[in-house]
Amino acid sequence: MKYTLKKHFCLLSRIFISLLLLSFTGCGRNEAPKPQKLADVLKESPSIEGKSSYLKTPFVTAGDRIYLVGHQDGSFPELGWHIAGEMGGIWNHPIKLMDGFQAELLQEGNSIPLQGSGTFVNYPVANAHEFSLKASSMEVSRTQFVPDGIQGLVVEYFLRNQGDKNEKFTFRFTGHTDLRPTWLGEKTGMTDGMDEASFLDDDHAWLAKDQLNPWFVMYGAKRNPLSRGDLDNTLKGRGTSNYLDYEISLKPGESESLVFYIAGSYHGREELMKEFKKVSSNPKQLLEQKRDRYQELAKRSKLTIPDKNLQQTFEWLKYNCDWLVRHVPEVGTGIMAGIPDYPWWFGVDSEYALKGYMAIGQQETVYKTIELLDSISNATNGNGRIVHEVSTNGYVFNKGNINETPQFASLIWEAYRWNGDLDFLKRYFPTIEKGLDWLMRENDKDGNLFPEGFGMMEIHGLDSEMIDVASYTQRAFEDASKMALALGRQELSERYSILSQELKTKINEAFWSQEFASYADFIGTDRQALHLIDDAILRADTLNKPWAVEELKATRKAIEQNPSSRPKPFVVHHNWVVNTPMEMGIADREKASAALTTAQKFVNPFGVFVTGIDRDESAGSDDGSFKGSKVFSYTGAVMTLPTGVQAVAENNYDRPDEALNYLERMTRTFSYALPGSMYEVSPDYGMMTQAWNIYSFAVPIVQQFFGIQPDASKKEIHIRPRMPKKWNKASLEEVQVADNRISVHYHRTESDLHIKVEQSAPGWKLILEPPQVEGAQIQVIQGTLEGANKAPIIVTKGKEVELKLVKNN
């Protein structure tokens, strides 16, 4: 009996131990460990799912060396107009590497393409496609990202058998190379040769080379393919198509990860192999590093407001800013204007955008872009004139529109306000001094202080004395006066100051139109105006804008009946630039109030029309859209830059509710087509990601609503909050000012207003100017009350300044 019990006990013990081992292994000794999905690294990252209706529109995944553009459905159509059909695919400027790639499952004579229907999800540092495969029990996703500082990218396909039977199939990956030069490559001797491909057995990868150049691309997975071969390449260009086949067998519930690595070089095979090794060494670690860096970007200038849509928009615009950094070692580093058709460098786009970059704490990008613009401009022009457009091979397409030179001066002053670095000012002031001399000596032929030439409006014939050129010139002299003073050049400072004051007076006198309650588009002769009016009538009639045709004909009649031999102001197009006197704070309050009200006529639900005569029936309503032409054109467009300029303008005259209205209009376009991004032309046309969008949000929010005005050279920060009524509780944290970081907390109730400002570097002077609240008493919690009763300020050199405005009962 004892023997039997002992025998049963031993048997039960073995069973228990076996069950215990099963519980640790999960599925028994014969099951292989589950592969980890690369996208699991991003589980805690922000993400936005796209719309099914926009699957056949572009997306981007970007690094500072390489970026990829395809469609959200996983395909790579030939897209773009700057180089027709070539702006998509994989670029490693100044060359293109590939038109794209495709994958398919081959099973029992059938092909199941991994593209088309499904779901697209965007992350700050990656994107994912979840494919809908109706003819298969397989669940397949694709995730891709571009590591920092590497000429390569990672693409993972993750496959899971969701059925109840074994699945065996061939996974085919096909790469389409297209090693070709960037736009205007021929200007610097770049000639496109035929691509030739060879398979590297040791690396299990295809290598392609341009026959005429040391341009290479390489792609493959870290496993030996079942087979590989060539296919006919039917795409534009002179590329090759080559495939890799892998045998896959999955039991029910099993998964497999196939990771492909793509690397390129325009310096030869040796560099290519190094880049391929870098990108394929540890993709999980590379993704984690990029994820962590973006988390730090998110913490800077962190916004918390009641409007969560606008809050999310602001956060993702910070990510967008990093997507646009383009590093070409032989030329420099700077922000590109937009993706996919403007992936190179622009003067004016940077001059707007970099003011926003400073406000969100991405200063290094600002300094590198300024260095690039300055060096190329000096090499090209040598007289202080700032270039307009530069391709990534270093070729300058446009030596500079007139407005870009004064706007560069104001950019340098703005950056100096944030960094307080006198050496920075000394480095760039010679360019500013030469540029302002060139601006007036070469372009103000009649000596009336208004330079002639093209500004922001690239309309044929609009090259006389433009309102935006005048406005930005006035601000440039005002800012240059302050820079000269900081550098100890008193006499030059005074001369610039006098010019800025004269310009301010003349703009308000010479450009103002009482009839239209607006500043004029330009000052010119009757002949110039009549020619532009005829063109504008044709445009308005073509676009079916009868109100504009009627107004333009009336203007033409008035000119013909009252001829003038001298130049005078004309309102013809109602272009957005007529609002730049308010953007720059030049307009007196009476004119500003009238002009800002007039501007409200030229908006639609998404923002401000580029050209007012293009406004349509959606103006003033809450519904609207923009249908772009088949041939790329900005005619009829509403854009984020004019809308942002209008928000800045409204805030300059203490109209935060009106300013917020413009931000809300733009926010409607966020994730409209590409999740996590905002198109250049609202809501879904032109560039899918655009640099100057950050100007349109960061300046109104950081510097106006929260009122952060740095003076880093004096270690002073002025805070003048002027919040819209909808934002009763708002905070902006970790705003970088030189080596200091400040946070502003704002809370308004029916009975009081509480404002608290914190800084990380004691010794800086915080100067808080609270808003005027009728009948309220100031209670100082931290800091010292100074100033007269009508203009009190709270000052501290400690870590905090804090007050309450308490309303009297």
Side-chain angles (χ1 to χ4, degrees):
M1 182 69 178
K2 288 181 180 180
Y3 175 80
T4 305
L5 286 172
K6 185 176 180 181
K7 184 177 180 181
H8 283 298
F9 178 78
C10 291
L11 180 61
L12 289 169
S13 297
R14 291 192 191 100
I15 294 170
F16 175 75
I17 291 169
S18 298
L19 289 171
L20 191 63
L21 287 171
L22 278 171
S23 72
F24 277 110
T25 59
C27 300
R29 68 176 66 179
N30 294 323
E31 181 176 302
K34 291 183 179 179
Q36 185 181 17
K37 193 175 183 181
L38 195 58
D40 289 344
V41 171
L42 304 173
K43 279 184 177 179
E44 303 302 318
S45 294
S47 64
I48 303 177
E49 185 175 313
K51 303 172 184 174
S52 59
S53 55
Y54 278 91
L55 281 174
K56 293 188 181 301
T57 64
F59 78 93
V60 61
T61 185
D64 56 346
R65 297 301 305 272
I66 275 183
Y67 66 87
L68 174 151
V69 170
H71 269 192
Q72 294 176 41
D73 67 357
S75 64
F76 288 90
E78 296 178 311
L79 58 84
W81 60 270
H82 230 124
I83 308 173
E86 295 283 12
M87 301 309 294
I90 302 169
W91 281 86
N92 180 24
H93 281 279
I95 68 166
K96 185 176 184 178
L97 301 179
M98 300 180 75
D99 283 325
F101 52 83
Q102 64 191 68
E104 55 191 316
L105 307 183
L106 304 177
Q107 189 176 39
E108 298 177 354
N110 296 317
S111 169
I112 304 173
L114 299 181
Q115 64 184 53
S117 60
T119 303
F120 175 79
V121 178
N122 215 0
Y123 298 90
V125 298
N127 1 78
H129 313 262
E130 302 284 345
F131 299 111
S132 177
L133 308 179
K134 295 178 181 178
S136 173
S137 62
M138 294 300 302
E139 180 185 273
V140 184
S141 66
R142 186 184 103 198
T143 302
Q144 61 262 326
F145 79 98
V146 181
D148 290 334
I150 297 177
Q151 297 175 82
L153 67 133
V154 179
V155 182
E156 180 197 51
Y157 287 90
F158 195 82
L159 307 101
R160 183 185 299 277
N161 183 355
Q162 296 288 81
D164 55 6
K165 63 178 183 178
N166 293 348
E167 291 283 0
K168 187 175 181 181
F169 54 87
T170 298
F171 182 98
R172 172 168 289 185
F173 180 93
T174 304
H176 306 290
T177 74
D178 188 9
L179 292 157
R180 58 149 298 135
T182 187
W183 181 56
L184 303 177
E186 70 279 3
K187 299 291 186 181
T188 55
M190 299 175 77
T191 303
D192 185 17
M194 292 294 297
D195 294 354
E196 54 184 358
S198 58
F199 187 75
L200 306 182
D201 291 306
D202 291 344
D203 298 287
H204 315 308
W206 281 104
L207 179 147
K209 179 190 180 297
D210 183 284
Q211 290 181 353
L212 301 179
N213 302 280
W215 304 342
F216 288 85
V217 65
M218 180 175 172
Y219 59 92
K222 281 189 170 181
R223 61 167 76 183
N224 201 29
L226 173 70
S227 62
R228 32 77 176 189
D230 307 327
L231 295 171
D232 290 337
N233 185 294
T234 60
L235 301 169
K236 288 184 178 181
R238 315 187 78 183
T240 66
S241 295
N242 305 92
Y243 69 86
L244 298 163
D245 284 351
Y246 304 89
E247 188 175 63
I248 307 292
S249 180
L250 295 174
K251 296 176 182 178
E254 281 189 336
S255 304
E256 183 148 354
S257 171
L258 262 174
V259 182
F260 292 89
Y261 305 97
I262 301 172
S265 171
Y266 48 90
H267 284 307
R269 179 166 176 159
E270 183 179 352
E271 182 181 82
L272 170 77
M273 302 306 292
K274 289 178 180 177
E275 295 296 307
F276 191 82
K277 185 176 180 180
K278 287 180 191 176
V279 78
S280 61
S281 60
N282 191 335
K284 180 175 178 289
Q285 184 182 61
L286 292 173
L287 183 55
E288 287 171 341
Q289 289 171 348
K290 188 160 187 174
R291 176 202 64 193
D292 293 347
R293 185 173 69 80
Y294 268 59
Q295 287 175 350
E296 289 302 311
L297 293 181
K299 290 176 184 177
R300 302 176 194 174
S301 298
K302 182 181 178 182
L303 179 68
T304 306
I305 53 175
D307 185 340
K308 297 308 173 185
N309 290 330
L310 204 160
Q311 179 179 312
Q312 184 187 49
T313 300
F314 187 70
E315 177 187 341
W316 277 77
L317 286 175
K318 290 187 280 186
Y319 307 143
N320 292 177
C321 285
D322 197 74
W323 299 351
L324 293 166
V325 176
R326 184 64 33 238
H327 176 53
V328 181
E330 299 76 20
V331 184
T333 302
I335 59 169
M336 51 186 179
I339 303 172
D341 275 292
Y342 294 110
W344 36 78
W345 306 296
F346 285 76
V348 73
D349 297 64
S350 299
E351 289 159 353
Y352 284 111
L354 294 179
K355 291 180 178 181
Y357 274 72
M358 289 300 292
I360 60 171
Q362 297 186 23
Q363 291 95 335
E364 284 306 311
T365 298
V366 175
Y367 303 145
K368 289 175 182 177
T369 306
I370 288 173
E371 180 182 11
L372 175 70
L373 291 177
D374 182 69
S375 63
I376 291 177
S377 297
N378 281 320
T380 303
N381 297 318
N383 55 5
R385 181 184 182 183
I386 301 301
V387 295
H388 175 64
E389 186 173 6
V390 185
S391 188
T392 49
N393 60 343
Y395 184 81
V396 176
F397 175 70
N398 179 338
K399 292 184 176 182
N401 293 333
I402 304 301
N403 60 300
E404 284 163 301
T405 295
Q407 286 186 263
F408 182 78
S410 293
L411 170 63
I412 298 302
W413 173 246
E414 185 67 19
Y416 178 67
R417 290 177 65 212
W418 285 90
N419 66 28
D421 183 352
L422 196 62
D423 289 336
F424 172 84
L425 209 57
K426 288 177 181 177
R427 179 175 183 179
Y428 295 110
F429 191 74
T431 298
I432 293 167
E433 189 175 1
K434 287 189 296 182
L436 293 179
D437 177 68
W438 168 82
L439 179 69
M440 305 310 288
R441 181 169 42 81
E442 296 291 328
N443 301 285
D444 182 22
K445 300 299 184 183
D446 59 6
N448 69 347
L449 301 184
F450 298 144
E452 298 100 20
F454 282 107
M456 285 299 295
M457 297 307 303
E458 296 178 339
I459 294 177
H460 181 69
L462 270 182
D463 58 351
S464 55
E465 294 174 347
M466 308 305 301
I467 183 60
D468 55 322
V469 173
S471 296
Y472 293 135
T473 298
Q474 188 280 331
R475 173 55 72 87
F477 279 113
E478 183 178 320
D479 293 339
S481 173
K482 297 170 185 173
M483 287 185 274
L485 187 63
L487 293 169
R489 300 184 62 181
Q490 183 73 35
E491 185 178 338
L492 183 62
S493 174
E494 290 176 1
R495 182 158 64 87
Y496 284 166
S497 180
I498 291 169
L499 281 171
S500 74
Q501 290 301 318
E502 289 180 4
L503 268 165
K504 189 172 187 177
T505 300
K506 292 193 71 172
I507 289 170
N508 279 298
E509 291 175 351
F511 273 97
W512 180 250
S513 171
Q514 193 64 38
E515 178 187 358
F516 289 97
S518 170
Y519 287 90
D521 293 299
F522 64 95
I523 292 175
T525 64
D526 286 359
R527 182 179 178 183
Q528 287 173 315
L530 289 170
H531 177 71
L532 285 165
I533 287 170
D534 286 342
D535 288 347
I537 288 173
L538 179 62
R539 172 181 179 143
D541 190 46
T542 302
L543 294 173
N544 192 27
K545 313 294 180 187
W547 72 269
V549 172
E550 183 181 350
E551 179 183 287
L552 288 163
K553 286 182 176 179
T555 302
R556 182 174 63 187
K557 184 177 180 181
I559 295 170
E560 291 170 343
Q561 291 178 346
N562 300 281
S564 173
S565 59
R566 303 184 65 179
K568 62 183 182 181
F570 293 98
V571 176
V572 173
H573 299 90
H574 297 285
N575 289 319
W576 68 269
V577 293
V578 300
N579 300 306
T580 54
M582 285 77 74
E583 179 203 13
M584 294 292 100
I586 296 167
D588 61 57
R589 285 197 169 268
E590 183 179 352
K591 291 185 177 68
S593 179
L596 292 170
T597 300
T598 298
Q600 292 171 1
K601 300 176 184 177
F602 302 104
V603 302
N604 82 353
F606 303 114
V608 176
F609 283 92
V610 174
T611 296
I613 60 171
D614 294 347
R615 76 176 185 192
D616 55 26
E617 62 277 1
S618 70
S621 75
D622 287 333
D623 298 300
S625 61
F626 176 71
K627 301 296 183 184
S629 60
K630 291 182 180 179
V631 178
F632 189 85
S633 170
Y634 289 114
T635 301
V638 165
M639 292 176 69
T640 51
L641 179 64
T643 311
V645 163
Q646 205 61 21
V648 172
E650 293 282 7
N651 269 327
N652 280 338
Y653 296 89
D654 295 317
R655 293 160 54 119
D657 295 321
E658 288 82 354
L660 178 60
N661 179 272
Y662 286 107
L663 296 190
E664 290 172 338
R665 289 173 189 272
M666 287 188 289
T667 299
R668 290 173 183 164
T669 74
F670 175 70
S671 292
Y672 195 98
L674 174 60
S677 189
M678 178 179 289
Y679 268 66
E680 168 201 23
V681 178
S682 305
D684 57 0
Y685 191 70
M687 304 307 104
M688 61 178 148
T689 303
Q690 182 75 17
W692 60 36
N693 291 347
I694 196 61
Y695 172 81
S696 298
F697 279 81
V699 172
I701 291 172
V702 176
Q703 297 189 262
Q704 294 180 315
F705 291 159
F706 284 90
I708 297 172
Q709 297 295 328
D711 192 350
S713 65
K714 297 178 182 178
K715 289 200 169 185
E716 291 183 358
I717 303 172
H718 297 251
I719 303 100
R720 184 181 180 270
R722 296 297 183 267
M723 288 291 174
K725 292 175 183 175
K726 291 182 179 180
W727 291 11
N728 284 324
K729 190 173 184 180
S731 67
L732 188 67
E733 301 171 87
E734 299 294 305
V735 179
Q736 186 80 46
V737 182
D739 61 352
N740 198 0
R741 290 195 179 190
I742 70 166
S743 299
V744 180
H745 305 274
Y746 180 98
H747 189 194
R748 180 174 53 211
T749 67
E750 291 184 3
S751 59
D752 62 41
L753 171 60
H754 184 196
I755 303 173
K756 182 179 181 180
V757 183
E758 303 165 304
Q759 65 176 341
S760 65
W764 282 62
K765 188 176 183 180
L766 296 179
I767 304 166
L768 173 58
E769 180 188 335
Q772 296 292 314
V773 178
E774 188 175 352
Q777 298 293 319
I778 294 180
Q779 292 182 2
V780 179
I781 301 171
Q782 295 278 349
T784 304
L785 179 63
E786 296 181 5
N789 290 334
K790 290 186 177 180
I793 57 173
I794 317 300
V795 179
T796 188
K797 283 195 173 183
K799 278 204 166 186
E800 296 177 359
V801 60
E802 186 174 3
L803 64 82
K804 272 191 178 182
L805 287 175
V806 182
K807 295 179 183 178
N808 294 328
N809 293 329

